[in-house]
Amino acid sequence: MFAREYVANLAARGDYHFTTDEVAKATGRSPGAVRAQLRRLKARGAIAEPVQSFHIIIPPEYRSRGCLPAEQFIPQLMGLIGEPYYFALLSAAQRHGAAHQRPQVDKVMMRKNRPSIECGQVRVEFVARRDLRRMPVREFNTPRGTARYSTPELTALELVGYPNHAGGLSNVLAVLHDLVDEMEAESLVEAAHLSPVSWSQRLGYLLERIEEIDLARTLRPFVSAHAQSFTPLRRAVSRTGADRNGTWKLIVNIDIEPDE
């Protein structure tokens, strides 16, 4: 059996992910010979290799992109390496129907940073959160299985916690306009208890800015009980002369208007 036959058989069974070692074992050929055959398939656009020795079959509808969508191979890759994960930030916001603009890069939360992945037109960046096993997620069906995404409430908190990975706070404010439709007050408080209190301080303020008073109000007791000091709205910006919001113990050191 040649590698191309192995790949064809996989696709016929609806399997779209495999490793170099699996091909070598199935075909009885040496790793060097298998890699040469796989390179030819890759040159034809039949397969891609987002990570060394981890390959994906590209069906015709995705040939122009040169890769499967991230949610159709990241879960399988994470299963292979035995790492927990979930799609987060703008990727999760889009899944929950709140993408202000289609993200150019998929964001995946992991326990530690790892190099980004470029596969055809698909790019995946990883963000570190060591306690991610405790985070609430939802599973969604994909054509290749299931994929985990942060819940709407966790997504909102992480958007203000990692603004550099979300296009800045002005973009976050615009995304929140749509994301709040999927958020529930009780779940928001539960997610807040799993995150730094400064994230709730910032999120509560932003929710008030978009007049989501009821959702903002649910965070007030948590902030009042746990916020020990004033925190800046934007950490990297000077606090000199900035206004202070007593409700959220927040130093409002930047002006925010939602991106159009």
Side-chain angles (χ1 to χ4, degrees), residues 86-87 96 129 131-138 149-155 158 187 190-192 194-195:
Y86 55 83
F87 285 90
H96 296 304
R129 184 164 188 176
D131 60 347
L132 86 167
R133 286 187 183 274
R134 302 168 58 215
M135 298 302 113
V137 299
R138 291 184 185 175
Y149 285 81
S150 56
T151 62
E153 299 79 17
L154 178 60
T155 300
E158 290 185 336
S187 297
E190 291 174 357
L194 298 173
S195 303

Coordinates of all heavy atoms in Angstrom, one line a residue, residues 86-87 96 129 131-138 149-155 158 187 190-192 194-195:
Y86 N -9.5 25.2 24.7 CA -10.8 25.6 24.1 C -10.6 26.8 23.3 O -9.6 27.6 23.4 CB -11.8 25.9 25.3 CG -11.4 26.9 26.3 CD1 -11.5 28.3 26.1 CD2 -10.9 26.5 27.6 CE1 -11.1 29.2 27.1 CE2 -10.5 27.4 28.5 CZ -10.6 28.8 28.3 OH -10.3 29.7 29.3
F87 N -11.4 27.0 22.3 CA -11.4 28.2 21.4 C -11.9 29.3 22.3 O -12.9 29.2 23.0 CB -12.2 28.0 20.2 CG -11.6 27.1 19.1 CD1 -11.8 25.8 19.2 CD2 -10.8 27.6 18.2 CE1 -11.3 24.9 18.2 CE2 -10.2 26.8 17.2 CZ -10.4 25.5 17.2
H96 N -20.5 32.3 19.2 CA -21.7 32.7 19.9 C -22.5 33.7 19.2 O -23.4 34.3 19.7 CB -21.4 33.1 21.3 CG -20.8 32.0 22.2 ND1 -21.4 30.8 22.4 CD2 -19.6 32.0 22.8 CE1 -20.7 30.1 23.2 NE2 -19.5 30.7 23.5
R129 N -3.4 30.0 29.7 CA -4.2 30.1 30.9 C -4.0 28.8 31.7 O -4.6 27.8 31.3 CB -5.6 30.4 30.6 CG -6.4 30.7 31.9 CD -7.8 31.3 31.7 NE -8.3 31.6 33.0 CZ -9.5 32.3 33.2 NH1 -10.2 32.7 32.2 NH2 -9.9 32.6 34.5
D131 N -5.0 27.6 34.5 CA -6.1 27.0 35.2 C -7.3 26.7 34.2 O -8.4 26.5 34.7 CB -6.6 27.8 36.3 CG -7.1 29.2 35.8 OD1 -6.8 29.6 34.7 OD2 -7.7 29.9 36.7
L132 N -7.1 26.5 32.9 CA -8.2 26.4 32.0 C -9.0 25.1 32.2 O -10.2 25.1 31.7 CB -7.6 26.4 30.5 CG -7.2 25.1 29.9 CD1 -7.0 25.4 28.4 CD2 -5.9 24.6 30.5
R133 N -8.5 24.1 32.9 CA -9.4 22.9 33.1 C -10.6 23.3 33.9 O -11.6 22.5 33.8 CB -8.5 21.8 33.8 CG -7.5 21.1 33.0 CD -6.9 20.0 33.7 NE -5.8 19.3 33.0 CZ -6.0 18.3 32.2 NH1 -7.3 17.9 31.9 NH2 -5.0 17.7 31.6
R134 N -10.5 24.3 34.7 CA -11.7 24.7 35.6 C -12.7 25.6 34.8 O -13.8 25.8 35.3 CB -11.2 25.5 36.8 CG -10.1 24.7 37.6 CD -9.5 25.7 38.6 NE -10.5 26.3 39.5 CZ -10.4 27.6 39.9 NH1 -9.4 28.3 39.6 NH2 -11.4 28.1 40.7
M135 N -12.3 26.0 33.6 CA -13.2 27.0 32.9 C -14.4 26.3 32.3 O -14.3 25.2 31.8 CB -12.4 27.7 31.9 CG -11.2 28.5 32.4 SD -11.7 29.8 33.7 CE -10.9 29.1 35.1
P136 N -15.5 27.0 32.3 CA -16.8 26.5 31.7 C -16.7 26.6 30.2 O -16.3 27.7 29.6 CB -17.9 27.4 32.2 CG -17.2 28.7 32.6 CD -15.8 28.3 33.0
V137 N -17.0 25.5 29.5 CA -16.9 25.5 28.0 C -18.2 24.9 27.5 O -19.0 24.2 28.2 CB -15.7 24.7 27.5 CG1 -14.4 25.3 28.0 CG2 -15.8 23.2 28.0
R138 N -18.4 25.1 26.2 CA -19.5 24.4 25.5 C -18.9 23.7 24.3 O -17.9 24.1 23.7 CB -20.5 25.4 25.0 CG -21.4 26.1 26.0 CD -22.4 27.0 25.4 NE -23.1 27.8 26.4 CZ -24.0 28.7 26.1 NH1 -24.3 29.0 24.8 NH2 -24.6 29.4 27.1
Y149 N -15.5 25.5 23.1 CA -15.5 26.9 23.1 C -15.8 27.4 24.5 O -16.6 26.9 25.2 CB -16.5 27.5 22.1 CG -16.1 27.4 20.6 CD1 -16.3 26.2 20.0 CD2 -15.5 28.4 20.0 CE1 -16.0 26.1 18.6 CE2 -15.2 28.3 18.6 CZ -15.4 27.1 18.0 OH -15.0 27.0 16.6
S150 N -15.2 28.5 24.9 CA -15.5 29.2 26.1 C -17.0 29.6 26.1 O -17.5 30.0 25.0 CB -14.6 30.4 26.4 OG -14.7 31.3 25.3
T151 N -17.6 29.6 27.2 CA -19.0 30.0 27.3 C -19.1 31.5 27.0 O -18.1 32.2 27.1 CB -19.6 29.7 28.7 OG1 -18.9 30.5 29.7 CG2 -19.6 28.3 29.0
P152 N -20.3 32.0 26.7 CA -20.4 33.5 26.4 C -19.9 34.3 27.6 O -19.2 35.4 27.4 CB -21.9 33.7 26.2 CG -22.4 32.4 25.7 CD -21.6 31.3 26.4
E153 N -20.2 33.9 28.8 CA -19.8 34.6 30.0 C -18.3 34.6 30.2 O -17.7 35.7 30.5 CB -20.5 34.1 31.2 CG -22.1 34.1 31.2 CD -22.7 33.0 30.3 OE1 -22.0 32.0 30.1 OE2 -23.9 33.2 30.0
L154 N -17.7 33.5 30.1 CA -16.2 33.4 30.2 C -15.6 34.2 29.0 O -14.6 34.8 29.2 CB -15.8 31.9 30.1 CG -14.3 31.7 30.2 CD1 -13.7 32.3 31.5 CD2 -13.9 30.2 30.1
T155 N -16.2 34.1 27.9 CA -15.6 34.8 26.7 C -15.6 36.3 27.0 O -14.6 37.0 26.8 CB -16.5 34.6 25.5 OG1 -16.5 33.2 25.2 CG2 -15.9 35.3 24.3
E158 N -12.8 37.1 29.5 CA -11.4 36.9 28.9 C -11.2 38.0 27.8 O -10.0 38.4 27.6 CB -11.3 35.5 28.3 CG -11.2 34.5 29.4 CD -10.9 33.1 28.8 OE1 -11.2 32.8 27.6 OE2 -10.4 32.2 29.6
S187 N -24.6 32.6 35.3 CA -23.4 32.0 34.7 C -22.2 33.0 34.7 O -21.1 32.7 34.9 CB -23.6 31.5 33.3 OG -24.6 30.5 33.3
E190 N -20.7 33.0 38.2 CA -19.9 31.8 38.3 C -18.5 31.9 37.6 O -17.5 31.6 38.2 CB -20.7 30.6 37.8 CG -21.9 30.3 38.7 CD -22.7 29.1 38.1 OE1 -22.3 28.7 36.9 OE2 -23.7 28.7 38.7
A191 N -18.6 32.5 36.4 CA -17.3 32.6 35.7 C -16.4 33.7 36.3 O -15.2 33.6 36.3 CB -17.6 33.0 34.2
A192 N -17.0 34.7 36.9 CA -16.3 35.8 37.5 C -15.5 35.2 38.7 O -14.3 35.6 38.9 CB -17.2 36.9 38.0
L194 N -14.0 32.5 38.9 CA -12.9 31.7 38.4 C -11.8 32.6 37.7 O -10.8 32.1 37.2 CB -13.4 30.7 37.3 CG -14.4 29.7 37.8 CD1 -14.9 28.8 36.7 CD2 -13.7 28.7 38.9
S195 N -12.0 33.9 37.8 CA -11.2 34.8 37.0 C -10.7 35.9 38.0 O -11.3 36.2 39.0 CB -11.9 35.5 35.9 OG -12.4 34.5 35.0

